[in-house]
C-alpha cells in the first residue's frame, strides 16, 4: 500500500524518479460522520431517522477494514414512513410552478459546489474509487445534471404541456455503482415534479449526505427520502400506495427477479441492467488512442463493469503489444491517493473478478496482468484475458470489473455479428478512421450508446439507455424526462394483482371448439386463415373457432392459431425486418398511405362488419374514417424522427437516433376492433417495426379484411396476423425469447402474465392492466406517448477534429 | 551525451498507414495532467531532476556577450547552494543540460562556460532558424560554422514547405545532409509542429526526422504561435516509441516554448514517464527548452526548503 512504503529521501527519489503518495485528507468526511455520532440512519422528510431495534451493518474503509460508521438497516415500516413522506410532499411539490422547482434544483447544485470536498472525499473513502474520478468527473457531472434539469423544469409548462408528473418514484440502487447513478435518475424526477424514495444499499453514506444537503435547503423537505437497506425491500417499496414507478439499476438477474416479483403490483418498472461495455477496434484505428479508450473503459474507475474487446485480426499483434505496454504503467492504490488510476471495489467485486479469471484459465484462456499494484490487500490488477474459446461459458458471461476480454474478428460484418450476438445491449465504442465504416458500425450495433473514437463520454443532454437485456429505460436528455412523466389525466396505477394467478397454467391449454351452426347474415363471407408471411395459411391445429355477432348468431369462423403458428409468424417477421428497417421514412409513409386508400375503398364492408358486432352504422362509418386518418397521420409522422444534440464538452454532434424495437407483438383490444388495430399497427410500422398481431377476440373480421389489402401492398412478412385463443397466443408471444417487444391490451390477468413473462428476455412491454382505452381520442390514439413506445433511442457520439 | 542515432534507410511504409485521431489525443492530453502528480520530497526531487533537463535558452535579437555570460553562470549554478545543501543534494553537481544560443553567440557561450570551469555543452540553433526559408547551402554552412565555433549540439529547423507539400523523400535527404554537416555534434531536429497543419503530419515528420538520424526531435522553435503542447508531444512520443520498437534506437525528445512554470515541468516529466518510461528520463534523451522556467523551479525549491514563498530579490537573476 502506498502509504506504508518507506519514505525515501530526495536523493533517492532524484535517482529513481518514482511516484510518491499523494494522500487526499479525508478529515472532513470523518468530521461529518462524527456529527452523526458515526451512526447512519435514514433521511426522511428532511430529518435523520434512526429507529430503534434495527440491525446494523458496519461501513468500512475498503482497504484497512477500519470501521467508519454503523448503518441501520431499514425494515418495512421505515419504507412505509418514507413513502408516506414522499406522498405528502408530492402534492405541494408537483403543484409549484416549474420555475420554482428550477430554482430549488439550482440551489442544490450550488450546495454541492460548496461542499464538494466533503462529497468527493467521503465517496472515495467509502467506495475505494480513485478520488480523481470522483472529483474531476462525478461531482461536476452531478452539478451539470441539476442545472440541466433545472432548465427543463423552468420550461416545463410550455415545452411539456399535456404531460404531468407520475407521482412518487421508487429508486433501487445497487451496491457497486457510484452515487452518480442516483443523480441521473433523481434529477429529472424531481425537476418534473415527482418525489422520490431511494433505497440505497447498506453502508453508502454519500447518497445520504446528498439527501441531507437537499433536505437542509428548506421548503420542500420530503421530496427526496433516503432509506438504507437491502434490495429485498424493493417489492415492499413498490407496493406502497402512491408509488407509480420503480427505477432499478443493477445486475441482470436481480432485474429479472424484480420484474417477475412486480408483475401486477402496479407501478411501472424501469430497468437499467448490467455494466459490461464493448470496444470494437478496426484495422484503420488510431491504435494508441484506442488503447487509451480501453484504459478509460476498464481501468479508470469510471465504469462499474468490465470490457469486451473485439480487435480486427490484422492489427491483433500490434494492439496487444501496445495494450500490454500500457497496462504496465497503470497504477492502482488507495482511492484517496491523487495519482492512482484504479482504487478498489471491495471484497465482492474482487471475488467476482477472481472467479472469472480462474474459470477463464480453466477453459483455456491466456491471462495477462500488469501494473503497479500493491500486493498486500484487496487490490485487483488490470487484467487482459485472451484466447478464450468462442463457445466457452466465460465468453457468454458478463465480463466483470476490471477485466478486458479480447477476441479477434476478421471483417466488420463478423464484428457486428459478434457484438450483436450477446444478450447485452448497453454501450459500445467503435475505433475506426474510415468515416463510412465507422458510421455503418455505429448505426448497426444494437446498443443504447455508441461512441465513435471515444469511450465513456457522458452528458446530461444525451439520453443513455440500452436494449435487449440491458433494460429499456433511459436517463439523460428528454428521454430521461419522459421516464417520469405521463399524459395528463392518466389514472393512478393501482395494483391489479390476481390472487389466483398461476403463471404455469395461464393460457396453456386451448378450450376445444366445435361447429356452432351455419354462417348467416348479409355481409360477404370473411376471409379465413392466419395471415403469415404475406398469405393466408391454415392453422397448425387445423381447427377453427366460431365468432358470434351481437345477436348471438354465428358470424363466421376464424382459424385457431397456436404455438407453432406464432413461431412461424415471428420467423416471418424477423425475415422481413432488415428490409423494412432499411426503407426510407418516405417509403414507409407511402405504404401507410396506400393502405389508407385501400381501407377507404373497403369502407362499406368494414362498416358492415362492425355493425354486425353491435356498432351503430353511423358510428361504424366514423370508426373506419378515423382509422383512415390515423394511417395517414402516422405515415406523415414517420418522416420526422431523431435529431442531433449539441453537447458541452464535445466538439461535434451527438445523434439521437430512434430505432425500431424489432419484431413487435401486438395483442389488440376487444374494444374498437378496427380503430385500435389500425392505430397500433400504423404506429408500429411508421417506426420501422415488423409486427405479429393478435386481433380483437370478439370482432377479428375487419382485421382479416384489411389483411387482403396488406397481402398485395406490404412486403411479405411485415405484418402477420394470428387469430385464436387470446390467452394462449399471449402466452406464446410473451414467453417467446425472440419477440423484441410486446403490447398487450386485454384482461388484467393477461397483463400480469405479460409483465411476469417478459422477464425472460426483458422485452419492453406495454400493458393496459385490464382498463379499456378511448382509442377515438386524439391523445390516446395518436398522442406523443405512443411515439415514445414505438421506438428506442440510441445515442451516437461523433467527436470531430483534425 | 554519447550515443548517436544512426538512422535508417528511408521506408515510407512506416508513415503511410499511420492514423492519428485528434480528439482522442486531446482527451489523453487532458487526462495525463490530472492523473499523475507528485508532492513534498517527491516534488522537490522531481523539480531538481527537471533542472538537469533544461536547455537554458536565450534566443533574442538583443543578446550580447554579457547576458550570454550571465546565462552560462546560471546554467552552472541553477539553484542556490544553501537550498541544495538543505536537501542534501549539493554534491550531485546539478547543472542544466545545455545552454542554447544563436550561432553568432556560440563563441561567447563556449568562452563563458570554459571560464566557469564546466563541461556543459553549448547548443546552437541553425538552418535559418526559425523559418528555415533560406537556401539549403547557407543552411548547411550555418551548421558547419556553429560546430567550428564549439557547439556540441545543433538544433536545426525543418523545412515546413516539404512537409506541407508531402515531399517526404526531400525532407529525409535534407535532414540527412544536416546530420552529415553536424559531424561530432548531436542533431536536434525542430519540427515546428505549430505549422505542420495536423497531428498526422507531426507523426510523419517525426518518423522521417528519426529515420534521417536525428538524435532528438523537438516540438517547436518558440517563435511559432503554438508551441509545445501536450497533444503534439503525445504524438511525437508515440513516434519515438514506434521507432524504438522498429530499430532498437532511442531518440530523445525536447519540448520547447511556453514551458514556464514548475508545475508544467512536472507534468512534462510524468508525460515522459507514462508514455516512454523511466529510461527516457535522463538528459541524453529528454530536454526542456526554456528560459524562465528555471527561476520558477528555484522558487518552488525555496518554498519546499523554507516553507515560505520567496520574494523577487531572494533568488539571483539569470
Amino acid at each position: 500500500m502506498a502509504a506504508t512504503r518507506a519514505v525515501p529521501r530526495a536523493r533517492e527519489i532524484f535517482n529513481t524518479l518514482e511516484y510518491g503518495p499523494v494522500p487526499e485528507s479525508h478529515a472532513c468526511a470523518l468530521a461529518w460522520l462524527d456529527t452523526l455520532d458515526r451512526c447512519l440512519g435514514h433521511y426522511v422528510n428532511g430529518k435523520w431517522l434512526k429507529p430503534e431495534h434495527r440491525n446494523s451493518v458496519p461501513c468500512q474503509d475498503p482497504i484497512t477494514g477500519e470501521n467508519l460508521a454503523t448503518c441501520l438497516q431499514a425494515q418495512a415500516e421505515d419504507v412505509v414512513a418514507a413513502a408516506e413522506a414522499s406522498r405528502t410532499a408530492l402534492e405541494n411539490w408537483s403543484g409549484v410552478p416549474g420555475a420554482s422547482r428550477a430554482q430549488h434544483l439550482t440551489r442544490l447544485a450550488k450546495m454541492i459546489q460548496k461542499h464538494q470536498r466533503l462529497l468527493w472525499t467521503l465517496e472515495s473513502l467509502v467506495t475505494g474509487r480513485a478520488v480523481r474520478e470522483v472529483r474531476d468527473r462525478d461531482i461536476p457531472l452531478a452539478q451539470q445534471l441539476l442545472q440541466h434539469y433545472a432548465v427543463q423544469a423552468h420550461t416545463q409548462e410550455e415545452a411539456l404541456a399535456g404531460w404531468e408528473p407520475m407521482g412518487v418514484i421508487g429508486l433501487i440502487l445497487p451496491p457497486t455503482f457510484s452515487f452518480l447513478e442516483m443523480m441521473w435518475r433523481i434529477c429529472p424526477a424531481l425537476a418534473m415534479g415527482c418525489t422520490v424514495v431511494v433505497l440505497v444499499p447498506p453502508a453508502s453514506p454519500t447518497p445520504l449526505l446528498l439527501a441531507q444537503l437537499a433536505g437542509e435547503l428548506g421548503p420542500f423537505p420530503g421530496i427526496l427520502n433516503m432509506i438504507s437497506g437491502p434490495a429485498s425491500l424493493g417489492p415492499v417499496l413498490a407496493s406502497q400506495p402512491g408509488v407509480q414507478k420503480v427505477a432499478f439499476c443493477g445486475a441482470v438477474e436481480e432485474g429479472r427477479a424484480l420484474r417477475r416479483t412486480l408483475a401486477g403490483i402496479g407501478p411501472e418498472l424501469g430497468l437499467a441492467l448490467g455494466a459490461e461495455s464493448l470496444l470494437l477496434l478496426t484495422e484503420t484505428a488510431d491504435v494508441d488512442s484506442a488503447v487509451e479508450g480501453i484504459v478509460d473503459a476498464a481501468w479508470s474507475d469510471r465504469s462499474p463493469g468490465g470490457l469486451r474487446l473485439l480487435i480486427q485480426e490484422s492489427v491483433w499483434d500490434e494492439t496487444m503489444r501496445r495494450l500490454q505496454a500500457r497496462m504496465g504503467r497503470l497504477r492502482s492504490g488507495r482511492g484517496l491517493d491523487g495519482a492512482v488510476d484504479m482504487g478498489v471495489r471491495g471484497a465482492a467485486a474482487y471475488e467476482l473478478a477472481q472467479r472469472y479469471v480462474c474459470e477463464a484459465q480453466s477453459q483455456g484462456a491466456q491471462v495477462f496482468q500488469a501494473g503497479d499494484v500493491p500486493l498486500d490487500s484487496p487490490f485487483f490488477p488490470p487484467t487482459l484475458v485472451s484466447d478464450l474459446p468462442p463457445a466457452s461459458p466465460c465468453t457468454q458471461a458478463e465480463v466483470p470489473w476490471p477485466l478486458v476480454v479480447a477476441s479477434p474478428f476478421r471483417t466488420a460484418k463478423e464484428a457486428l455479428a459478434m457484438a450483436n450476438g450477446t444478450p447485452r445491449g448497453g454501450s459500445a465504442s467503435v475505433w475506426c478512421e474510415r468515416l463510412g465504416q465507422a458510421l455503418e458500425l455505429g448505426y448497426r450495433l444494437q446498443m443504447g450508446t455508441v461512441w465513435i473514437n471515444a469511450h465513456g463520454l457522458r452528458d446530461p443532454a444525451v439520453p443513455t439507455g440500452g436494449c435487449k437485456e440491458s433494460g429499456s429505460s433511459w436517463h439523460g436528455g428528454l428521454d430521461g424526462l419522459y421516464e417520469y412523466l405521463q399524459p395528463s389525466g392518466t389514472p393512478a396505477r393501482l395494483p391489479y394483482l390476481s390472487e389466483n394467478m398461476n403463471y404455469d397454467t395461464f393460457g396453456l391449454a386451448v378450450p376445444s371448439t366445435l361447429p356452432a351452426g351455419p354462417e348467416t347474415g348479409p355481409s360477404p363471407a370473411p376471409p379465413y386463415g392466419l395471415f403469415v408471411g404475406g398469405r393466408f395459411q391454415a392453422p397448425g391445429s387445423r381447427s377453427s373457432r366460431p365468432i358470434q355477432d351481437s345477436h348471438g348468431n354465428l358470424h363466421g369462423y376464424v382459424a385457431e392459431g397456436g404455438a407453432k403458428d406464432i413461431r412461424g409468424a415471428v420467423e416471418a417477421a424477423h425475415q422481413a425486418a432488415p428490409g423494412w428497417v432499411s426503407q426510407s421514412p418516405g417509403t414507409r409513409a407511402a405504404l401507410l398511405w396506400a393502405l389508407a386508400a385501400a381501407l377507404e375503398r373497403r369502407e362499406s364492408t368494414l362498416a358492415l362488419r362492425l355493425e354486425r358486432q353491435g356498432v351503430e352504422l353511423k358510428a361504424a362509418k366514423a370508426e373506419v374514417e378515423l382509422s383512415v386518418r390515423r394511417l395517414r397521420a402516422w405515415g406523415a409522422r414517420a418522416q420526422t424522427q431523431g435529431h442531433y444534440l449539441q453537447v458541452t464538452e464535445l466538439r461535434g454532434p451527438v445523434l439521437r437516433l430512434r430505432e425500431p424495437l424489432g419484431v413487435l407483438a401486438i395483442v389488440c383490444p376487444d374494444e374498437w376492433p378496427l380503430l385500435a388495430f389500425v392505430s397500433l399497427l400504423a404506429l408500429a410500422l411508421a417506426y420501422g417495426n415488423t409486427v405479429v398481431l393478435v386481433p380483437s377476440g370478439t370482432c377479428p373480421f375487419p382485421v382479416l379484411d384489411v389483411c387482403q389489402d396488406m397481402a398485395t401492398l406490404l412486403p411479405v412478412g411485415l405484418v402477420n396476423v394470428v387469430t385464436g385463443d387470446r390467452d394462449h397466443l399471449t402466452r406464446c408471444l410473451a414467453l417467446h425469447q425472440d419477440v423484441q417487444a410486446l403490447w398487450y391490451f386485454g384482461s388484467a390477468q393477461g397483463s400480469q402474465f405479460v409483465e411476469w413473462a417478459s422477464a425472460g428476455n426483458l422485452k419492453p412491454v406495454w400493458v393496459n392492466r385490464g382498463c379499456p382505452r378511448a382509442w377515438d381520442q386524439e391523445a390516446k390514439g395518436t398522442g406523443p406517448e405512443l411515439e415514445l413506445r414505438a421506438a428506442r433511442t440510441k445515442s451516437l457520439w461523433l467527436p470531430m477534429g483534425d | 551525451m554519447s550515443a548517436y542515432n544512426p538512422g535508417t534507410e528511408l521506408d515510407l511504409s512506416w508513415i503511410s498507414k499511420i492514423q492519428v485521431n485528434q480528439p482522442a489525443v486531446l482527451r489523453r492530453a487532458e487526462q495525463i495532467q490530472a492523473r499523475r502528480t507528485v508532492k513534498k520530497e517527491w516534488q522537490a526531487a522531481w523539480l531538481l531532476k527537471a533542472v538537469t533537463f533544461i536547455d537554458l535558452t536565450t534566443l533574442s535579437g538583443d543578446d550580447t556577450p554579457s547576458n550570454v555570460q550571465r546565462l552560462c553562470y546560471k546554467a552552472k549554478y541553477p539553484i542556490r547552494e544553501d537550498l541544495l545543501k538543505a536537501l542534501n543534494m549539493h554534491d550531485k553537481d546539478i547543472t542544466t543540460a545545455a545552454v542554447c544560443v544563436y550561432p553568432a553567440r556560440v563563441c561567447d557561450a563556449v568562452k563563458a562556460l570554459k571560464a566557469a570551469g564546466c563541461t556543459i555543452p553549448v547548443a546552437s540553433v541553425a538552418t535559418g532558424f526559425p523559418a528555415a526559408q533560406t537556401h539549403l547551402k547557407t543552411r548547411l554552412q550555418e551548421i558547419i560554422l556553429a560546430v567550428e565555433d564549439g557547439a556540441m549540439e545543433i538544433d536545426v529547423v525543418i523545412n515546413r514547405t516539404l512537409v506541407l507539400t508531402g515531399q517526404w523523400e526531400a525532407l529525409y535527404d535534407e535532414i540527412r545532409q544536416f546530420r552529415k554537416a553536424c559531424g561530432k555534434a548531436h542533431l536536434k531536429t525542430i519540427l515546428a509542429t505549430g505549422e505542420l497543419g495536423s497531428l498526422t503530419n507531426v507523426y510523419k515528420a517525426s518518423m522521417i526526422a528519426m529515420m534521417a538520424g536525428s538524435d532528438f526531435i523537438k516540438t517547436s522553435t518558440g517563435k511559432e504561435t503554438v508551441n509545445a503542447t501536450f497533444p503534439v508531444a503525445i504524438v511525437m512520443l508515440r513516434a519515438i516509441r514506434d521507432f524504438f520498437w522498429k530499430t532498437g534506437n532511442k531518440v530523445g525528445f525536447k519540448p520547447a516554448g511556453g514551458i514556464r512554470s514548475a508545475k508544467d515541468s512536472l507534468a512534462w516529466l510524468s508525460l515522459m514517464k507514462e508514455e516512454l518510461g523511466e529510461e527516457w528520463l535522463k538528459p541524453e534523451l529528454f530536454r526542456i527548452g526554456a528560459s524562465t522556467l528555471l527561476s520558477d523551479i528555484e522558487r518552488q525549491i525555496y518554498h519546499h526548503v523554507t516553507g515560505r514563498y520567496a520574494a523577487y530579490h531572494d533568488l539571483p537573476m539569470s
Side-chain angles (χ1 to χ4, degrees):
Chain A
M1 203 174 70
T4 57
R5 284 170 189 155
V7 176
R9 303 302 302 169
R11 276 180 87 87
E12 198 186 317
I13 307 166
F14 182 81
N15 291 332
T16 61
L17 275 189
E18 63 179 20
Y19 290 115
V22 190
E24 179 99 12
S25 164
H26 57 279
C28 58
L30 296 180
W32 178 72
L33 290 171
D34 283 338
T35 63
L36 301 169
D37 303 323
R38 300 271 177 151
C39 170
L40 294 163
H42 319 294
Y43 198 80
V44 173
N45 214 5
K47 290 187 291 287
W48 285 97
L49 179 67
K50 293 186 184 174
E52 288 177 0
H53 313 298
R54 296 286 187 271
N55 294 333
S56 67
V57 287
C59 172
Q60 292 172 326
D61 182 322
I63 293 158
T64 61
E66 178 198 351
N67 259 356
L68 298 170
T70 53
C71 302
L72 301 182
Q73 291 273 59
Q75 288 180 0
E77 51 194 288
D78 305 325
V79 177
V80 173
E84 170 76 44
S86 298
R87 227 173 19 251
T88 316
L90 178 68
E91 204 173 320
N92 194 2
W93 180 244
S94 63
V96 302
S100 309
R101 286 200 296 274
Q103 251 180 2
H104 194 75
L105 292 184
T106 314
R107 285 175 63 208
L108 181 55
K110 284 192 181 139
M111 199 74 170
I112 289 180
Q113 193 178 17
K114 286 171 193 160
H115 299 286
Q116 48 180 313
R117 172 174 289 275
L118 172 56
L119 272 164
W120 84 55
T121 48
L122 183 68
E123 172 77 358
S124 176
L125 172 67
V126 175
T127 63
R129 289 173 66 227
V131 67
R132 156 191 59 75
E133 197 61 27
V134 183
R135 180 191 59 207
D136 299 345
R137 194 175 139 95
D138 291 5
I139 301 281
L141 193 49
Q143 289 177 58
Q144 285 167 21
L145 275 165
L146 283 163
Q147 273 148 6
H148 176 82
Y149 282 111
V151 173
Q152 307 293 327
H154 192 86
T155 58
Q156 184 181 6
E157 283 90 354
E158 283 168 53
L160 295 163
W163 296 86
E164 63 180 18
M166 282 179 127
V168 178
I169 308 293
L171 174 58
I172 304 169
L173 291 170
T176 49
F177 282 50
S178 117
F179 75 96
L180 206 54
E181 292 299 330
M182 178 183 89
M183 297 303 288
W184 276 106
R185 290 162 178 87
I186 64 171
C187 293
L190 292 176
M192 291 297 99
C194 298
T195 58
V196 186
V197 182
V198 188
L199 181 62
V200 294
S204 20
T206 322
L208 288 163
L209 169 58
L210 274 165
Q212 187 191 352
L213 292 179
E216 284 171 358
L217 281 180
F220 306 105
I223 57 172
L224 180 60
N225 301 291
M226 206 73 62
I227 293 288
S228 160
S232 57
L233 284 174
V236 179
L237 173 58
S239 49
Q240 291 307 307
V243 174
Q244 296 293 299
K245 169 148 194 160
V246 173
F248 173 85
C249 66
V252 177
E253 287 315 313
E254 287 170 36
R256 220 190 284 281
L258 192 67
R259 173 66 282 178
R260 293 200 173 108
T261 318
L262 295 194
I265 297 275
E268 297 231 338
L269 180 60
L271 297 172
L273 306 177
E276 184 190 283
S277 194
L278 179 101
L279 192 143
L280 208 158
L281 198 159
T282 69
E283 63 188 357
T284 62
D286 173 356
V287 175
D288 283 308
S289 291
V291 164
E292 293 304 327
I294 296 167
V295 172
D296 282 346
W299 301 315
S300 298
D301 274 0
R302 182 163 297 182
S303 151
L307 181 73
R308 194 168 292 279
L309 173 62
L310 300 179
I311 305 172
Q312 194 149 22
E313 213 172 349
S314 50
V315 287
W316 173 271
D317 291 338
E318 197 197 351
T319 306
M320 284 312 218
R321 180 177 189 179
R322 282 163 206 266
L323 184 55
Q324 291 180 354
R326 179 69 178 91
M327 285 171 77
R329 303 202 199 288
L330 289 167
R331 299 186 78 227
S332 148
R334 186 172 169 78
L336 280 168
D337 187 307
V340 300
D341 295 297
M342 277 166 63
V344 293
R345 292 289 172 90
Y350 184 93
E351 275 160 30
L352 195 65
Q354 191 60 48
R355 202 161 52 235
Y356 189 97
V357 166
C358 291
E359 277 174 29
Q361 269 170 329
S362 73
Q363 288 160 16
Q366 297 291 318
V367 173
F368 177 84
Q369 295 182 320
D372 180 4
V373 184
L375 298 170
D376 54 342
S377 47
F379 295 95
F380 202 90
T383 304
L384 174 65
V385 178
S386 57
D387 297 340
L388 202 57
S392 64
C394 276
T395 316
Q396 306 299 319
E398 185 170 343
V399 179
W401 173 91
L403 269 59
V404 172
V405 176
S407 336
F409 67 87
R410 290 169 301 171
T411 61
K413 211 174 173 184
E414 187 174 59
L416 275 176
M418 289 167 79
N420 291 338
T422 73
R424 292 169 285 279
S427 60
S429 63
V430 172
W431 294 79
C432 173
E433 292 298 320
R434 273 167 48 203
L435 180 64
Q437 188 181 47
L439 287 175
E440 169 79 12
L441 290 168
Y443 269 80
R444 292 187 53 197
L445 279 172
Q446 290 163 14
M447 296 282 169
T449 303
V450 178
W451 299 281
I452 305 290
N453 293 323
H455 197 106
L457 306 180
R458 302 288 293 270
D459 189 278
V462 178
T464 308
C467 60
K468 296 194 269 187
E469 289 190 1
S470 295
S472 49
S473 70
W474 279 273
H475 48 277
L478 265 183
D479 301 75
L481 284 181
Y482 287 121
E483 290 281 315
Y484 306 102
L485 289 171
Q486 59 191 12
S488 302
T490 307
R493 288 166 193 76
L494 300 171
Y496 57 100
L497 203 58
S498 164
E499 289 303 328
N500 51 10
M501 180 73 181
N502 184 339
Y503 293 120
D504 293 335
T505 57
F506 175 86
L508 190 61
V510 182
S512 53
T513 47
L514 298 168
E519 294 174 36
T520 54
S523 55
Y528 175 85
L530 306 174
F531 183 68
V532 173
R535 61 193 177 87
F536 285 96
Q537 302 184 355
S541 67
R542 296 291 190 272
S543 55
S544 306
R545 114 183 335 247
I547 303 292
Q548 263 117 27
D549 64 16
S550 56
H551 302 295
N553 298 325
L554 182 69
H555 188 172
Y557 288 97
V558 292
E560 183 73 71
K564 291 217 167 112
D565 303 307
I566 291 292
R567 187 194 65 186
V570 171
E571 266 174 28
H574 268 290
Q575 276 169 10
W580 187 240
V581 171
S582 58
Q583 294 290 346
S584 72
T587 315
R588 285 184 212 155
L591 277 174
L592 288 176
W593 281 37
L595 198 58
L599 224 66
E600 251 171 345
R601 284 194 296 276
R602 260 179 214 281
E603 187 187 352
S604 56
T605 319
L606 292 170
L608 278 179
R609 298 256 190 252
L610 294 172
E611 196 190 7
R612 270 202 75 176
Q613 295 298 329
V615 186
E616 261 186 62
L617 187 60
K618 206 174 152 198
K621 282 192 169 164
E623 185 174 345
V624 179
E625 257 172 49
L626 191 51
S627 302
V628 171
R629 281 215 301 280
R630 288 276 154 86
L631 275 167
R632 296 228 162 92
W634 283 119
R637 268 198 250 169
Q639 318 238 22
T640 55
Q641 293 166 22
H643 56 267
Y644 86 93
L645 307 161
Q646 197 62 52
V647 166
T648 341
E649 285 178 29
L650 181 82
R651 286 192 67 230
V654 179
L655 306 186
R656 174 183 176 267
L657 307 175
R658 294 288 284 163
E659 297 200 330
L661 300 166
V663 172
L664 169 62
I666 304 175
V667 180
C668 293
D670 282 340
E671 76 269 12
W672 299 101
L674 179 65
L675 180 63
F677 154 74
V678 164
S679 302
L680 290 167
L681 180 74
L683 165 66
L685 294 184
Y687 281 85
N689 301 291
T690 53
V691 175
V692 177
L693 186 139
V694 178
S696 156
T698 53
C699 181
F701 296 119
V703 174
L704 294 173
D705 283 321
V706 177
C707 283
Q708 292 180 311
D709 293 317
M710 292 201 284
T712 54
L713 289 173
L714 300 186
V716 166
L718 178 57
V719 179
N720 304 277
V721 175
V722 182
T723 51
D725 182 78
R726 285 163 59 85
D727 284 352
H728 180 60
L729 297 176
T730 300
R731 180 184 183 89
C732 297
L733 289 168
L735 289 173
H736 200 303
Q737 291 283 102
D738 221 5
V739 167
Q740 281 145 342
L742 175 56
W743 297 346
Y744 178 83
F745 296 88
S747 64
Q749 267 207 338
S751 301
Q752 186 186 341
F753 180 84
V754 164
E755 288 197 322
W756 177 84
S758 71
N761 66 346
L762 290 164
K763 56 172 86 68
V765 295
W766 178 19
V767 297
N768 71 337
R769 301 152 200 267
C771 307
R773 190 179 170 94
W775 290 98
D776 55 331
Q777 288 175 15
E778 284 300 305
K780 301 283 181 188
T782 55
E785 181 202 6
L786 281 77
E787 283 175 80
L788 292 174
R789 300 271 189 186
R792 63 185 153 78
T793 301
K794 173 161 148 186
S795 305
L796 182 58
W797 294 69
L798 299 169
M800 67 184 195
D802 175 50
Chain B
M1 195 147 58
S2 51
Y4 294 90
N5 168 25
T8 62
E9 293 293 312
L10 177 66
D11 184 346
L12 287 177
S13 75
W14 291 11
I15 62 168
S16 59
K17 276 197 199 154
I18 183 66
Q19 302 286 353
V20 180
N21 187 280
Q22 187 248 17
V25 171
L26 292 191
R27 269 196 306 280
R28 169 70 177 148
E30 263 172 40
Q31 279 176 4
I32 214 162
Q33 300 167 71
R35 292 199 173 185
R36 296 287 183 269
T37 161
V38 281
K39 297 273 184 235
K40 304 209 166 79
E41 277 93 349
W42 283 267
Q43 193 180 61
W46 278 51
L47 285 174
L48 288 178
K49 196 74 180 185
V51 169
T52 68
F53 297 142
I54 293 177
D55 276 4
L56 197 59
T57 304
T58 180
L59 292 170
S60 303
D62 57 0
D63 284 341
T64 63
S66 71
N67 80 318
V68 168
Q69 187 188 11
R70 200 164 63 215
L71 188 81
C72 292
Y73 188 80
K74 188 70 184 173
K76 167 76 174 151
Y77 304 104
I79 305 287
R80 246 170 54 178
E81 183 75 7
D82 57 329
L83 298 178
L84 290 177
K85 267 197 179 127
L87 288 166
N88 192 22
M89 295 290 289
H90 52 286
D91 54 349
K92 284 279 192 179
D93 192 24
I94 291 176
T95 66
T96 68
V99 170
C100 182
V101 293
Y102 268 122
R105 300 271 73 78
V106 171
C107 281
D108 300 335
V110 170
K111 209 166 101 193
L113 285 169
K114 204 169 178 186
C118 72
T119 55
I120 302 173
V122 174
S124 168
V125 297
T127 70
F129 183 94
Q133 297 284 16
T134 58
H135 294 294
L136 180 59
K137 201 169 168 186
T138 60
R139 282 188 273 152
L140 288 169
Q141 196 63 28
E142 221 181 330
I143 297 176
I144 292 165
L145 293 175
V147 173
E148 277 174 12
D149 282 353
M152 302 293 291
E153 300 173 6
I154 305 292
D155 289 23
V156 302
V157 278
I158 62 162
N159 185 339
R160 274 81 99 188
T161 313
L162 297 179
V163 174
L164 293 171
T165 54
Q167 302 180 57
W168 303 112
E169 294 91 343
L171 182 64
Y172 176 86
D173 289 340
E174 270 199 21
I175 300 173
R176 266 285 175 210
Q177 293 186 52
F178 295 159
R179 157 88 274 169
K180 209 170 149 207
C182 281
K184 276 190 198 159
H186 281 87
L187 174 66
K188 289 144 91 185
T189 305
I190 305 173
L191 303 178
T193 54
E195 294 177 354
L196 295 188
S198 72
L199 290 180
T200 310
N201 274 351
V202 170
Y203 184 95
K204 290 181 175 177
S206 303
M207 201 45 110
I208 295 285
M210 289 186 286
M211 283 195 259
S214 307
D215 299 306
F216 268 83
I217 51 175
K218 175 174 167 184
T219 57
S220 33
T221 61
K223 309 286 184 192
E224 294 97 46
T225 44
V226 181
N227 291 302
T229 64
F230 268 48
V232 159
I234 287 170
V235 172
M236 292 172 72
L237 294 178
R238 286 174 180 172
I240 290 174
R241 186 199 47 205
D242 289 351
F243 187 77
F244 172 62
W245 280 355
K246 280 179 201 288
T247 66
N249 294 326
K250 289 180 186 167
V251 172
F253 174 66
K254 177 177 172 184
I259 304 171
R260 296 198 178 86
S261 72
K263 199 175 162 211
D264 286 350
S265 69
L266 292 176
W268 282 98
L269 258 63
S270 56
L271 175 69
M272 287 300 283
K273 191 172 155 88
E274 289 300 307
E275 289 286 324
L276 292 174
E278 285 90 352
E279 54 208 297
W280 255 267
L281 283 173
K282 48 189 180 187
E284 291 83 4
L285 289 170
F286 181 50
R287 296 288 178 82
I288 300 173
S291 39
T292 54
L293 170 64
L294 183 54
S295 44
D296 192 52
I297 291 182
E298 202 176 4
R299 297 170 79 79
Q300 297 305 323
I301 300 279
Y302 180 96
H303 177 250
H304 176 76
V305 170
T306 65
R308 297 162 192 230
Y309 292 105
Y312 180 70
H313 57 257
D314 281 331
L315 301 164
M317 71 183 285
S318 59

